[in-house]
């Protein structure tokens, strides 16, 4: 699945960098704009999201009918869930509660098989292997499905590919210029 540069820019400006331009701590992007995102866009957003902006937009993704299993798994595993596994809701501080509840919701939706589509690939194996499951609080009932890779397509960012090509071309031109300068000095 390909994310085109105009879509990357739209997502970055409206959902990833939205807090950079606002002095209002409680500012949230326009939900109507969010509804225009497809499953691939949501994955890209989740993959690049700035967690310092809170989890409200990630909740939007999880509750969206378009949310893919791969996206939900990505959000779950990139949140460093092992920190929360050892705790119950009553042990969580106020500033951690939103993330805790988001993770619980993802687990609940996986357990209830609410994520219908699995078109986007995410592999949590490296993250999952680092977890000491014996410390898991009994309150967490994490399905085996959430611990396994999702099947589907990888996301390809055309903008990033273009940038890498431009960098390669620039370096190649610089190398040729340097070569010419050396020849002139001889």
């Amino acid at each position: 699945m390909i994310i085109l540069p105009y879509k990357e820019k739209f997502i970055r400006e409206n959902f990833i960098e939205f807090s950079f331009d606002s002095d209002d701590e409680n500012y949230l992007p326009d939900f109507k704009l969010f509804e225009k995102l497809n499953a691939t866009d949501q994955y890209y957003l989740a993959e690049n999201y700035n967690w310092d902006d809170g989890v409200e937009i990630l909740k939007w993704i999880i509750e969206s009918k378009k949310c893919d299993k791969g996206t939900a798994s990505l959000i779950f595993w990139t949140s460093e869930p092992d920190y929360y596994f050892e705790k119950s809701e009553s042990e969580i501080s106020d500033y951690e509660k939103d993330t805790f509840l988001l993770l619980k919701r993802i687990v609940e939706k996986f357990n209830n098989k609410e994520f219908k589509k699995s078109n986007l690939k995410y592999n949590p194996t490296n993250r999952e292997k680092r977890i000491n499951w014996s410390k898991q609080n009994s309150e967490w009932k994490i399905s085996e499905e959430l611990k396994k890779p999702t099947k589907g397509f990888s996301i390809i960012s055309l903008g990033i590919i273009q940038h890498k090509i431009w960098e390669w071309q620039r370096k190649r031109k610089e190398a040729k210029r340097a070569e010419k300068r050396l020849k002139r000095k001889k």
Side-chain angles (χ1 to χ4, degrees):
M1 302 288 193
I2 297 175
I3 301 285
L4 297 172
Y6 82 91
K7 209 54 171 288
E8 284 181 85
K9 182 179 182 207
F10 175 80
I11 293 167
R12 191 174 52 255
E13 288 176 353
N14 289 291
F15 304 103
I16 296 172
E17 297 174 356
F18 71 89
S19 68
F20 296 177
D21 298 326
S22 178
D23 293 330
D24 181 4
E25 273 183 31
N26 298 318
Y27 174 79
L28 277 177
D30 187 345
F31 185 73
K32 290 188 187 307
L33 291 177
F34 171 79
E35 291 179 310
K36 294 179 181 180
L37 301 180
N38 63 34
T40 305
D41 300 336
Q42 289 179 359
Y43 187 101
Y44 178 83
L45 170 55
E47 186 174 43
N48 293 283
Y49 189 71
N50 178 2
W51 284 77
D52 292 337
D53 286 333
V55 299
E56 190 63 30
I57 291 174
L58 299 173
K59 287 182 198 174
W60 291 354
I61 294 172
I62 294 304
E63 297 302 334
S64 169
K65 291 183 187 330
K66 299 174 193 173
C67 184
D68 189 90
K69 283 181 188 177
T71 306
S73 183
L74 167 77
I75 292 170
F76 183 82
W77 290 107
T78 56
S79 73
E80 303 295 335
D82 50 320
Y83 172 77
Y84 299 93
F85 289 165
E86 300 173 21
K87 301 179 181 190
S88 67
E89 189 172 346
S90 61
E91 297 171 299
I92 293 291
S93 64
D94 287 342
Y95 78 91
E96 299 169 313
K97 199 160 281 217
D98 286 341
T99 303
F100 179 88
L101 294 173
L102 174 69
L103 298 179
K104 294 291 278 188
R105 181 68 178 136
I106 293 170
V107 168
E108 176 186 340
K109 289 187 82 162
F110 261 94
N111 289 340
N112 293 335
K113 309 238 183 278
E114 291 180 45
F115 295 111
K116 303 296 182 200
K117 296 176 187 159
S118 185
N119 297 321
L120 303 171
K121 186 187 294 185
Y122 181 74
N123 187 349
T125 307
N126 291 335
R127 293 177 183 270
E128 191 268 334
K129 283 182 181 176
R130 296 185 305 211
I131 293 179
N132 181 353
W133 292 103
S134 65
K135 292 184 175 182
Q136 180 182 337
N137 184 304
S138 62
E139 186 175 307
W140 290 89
K141 293 178 179 35
I142 299 168
S143 72
E144 288 303 310
E145 183 180 21
L146 187 51
K147 297 177 186 179
K148 293 178 181 170
T150 59
K151 294 180 167 112
F153 297 99
S154 296
I155 301 295
I156 298 169
S157 164
L158 194 55
I160 290 171
I161 291 170
Q162 283 178 329
H163 182 72
K164 288 182 184 209
I165 291 169
W166 290 331
E167 280 182 353
W168 176 79
Q169 288 173 332
R170 185 177 52 79
K171 287 178 184 175
R172 204 170 114 206
K173 284 179 183 177
E174 286 174 359
K176 284 182 179 180
R177 286 182 191 138
E179 218 177 283
K180 285 179 182 179
R181 282 192 293 268
L182 280 174
K183 285 181 182 178
R184 279 188 230 138
K185 287 182 181 180
K186 291 181 181 180

